Amino acid sequence: MAYVALRFDAAAAHADAWSDALLEAGALSVDLSDPGAGTDAETPLYGEPGEIPASAWPWSRVVALFGADADPAEALALAATAIGEPAPELVEVRLVR
């Protein structure tokens, strides 16, 4: 089965809101990660399982997975409207098999 992945970076203050709004707009899953992971810019977050981290990455990489028949651009527009933020300018959309 094929899927469509939508990827962009969001400021820490809005990352969770983007995640929730994308799920409401039809995303099957949303992952937030450190966009600097694996580089000198990586920002480690420490904590124990089940604890809420004391901080967040300054920016989060948002990756939303949609079914192959979904329109990720429409979902992104719906999510942006829902959270009252402009849609990100640098967005990558790719097919995932």
Side-chain angles (χ1 to χ4, degrees):
M1 175 170 237
Y3 300 94
V4 177
L6 172 73
R7 185 179 88 168
F8 62 93
D9 292 346
H14 303 292
D16 284 334
W18 276 113
S19 176
D20 293 343
L22 286 164
L23 288 168
E24 287 293 321
L28 302 172
S29 69
V30 178
D31 177 67
L32 301 177
S33 61
D34 181 358
T39 71
D40 290 341
E42 184 171 5
T43 305
L45 298 179
Y46 299 104
E48 294 296 323
E51 289 183 1
I52 296 173
S55 62
W57 301 293
W59 287 88
S60 290
R61 168 103 358 111
V62 180
V63 179
L65 192 65
F66 294 90
D69 59 341
D71 181 351
E74 180 181 345
L76 184 63
L78 287 170
T81 299
I83 67 170
E85 289 291 317
E89 293 179 20
L90 298 175
V91 176
E92 176 187 338
V93 178
R94 64 182 175 90
L95 187 63
V96 179
R97 293 189 187 264

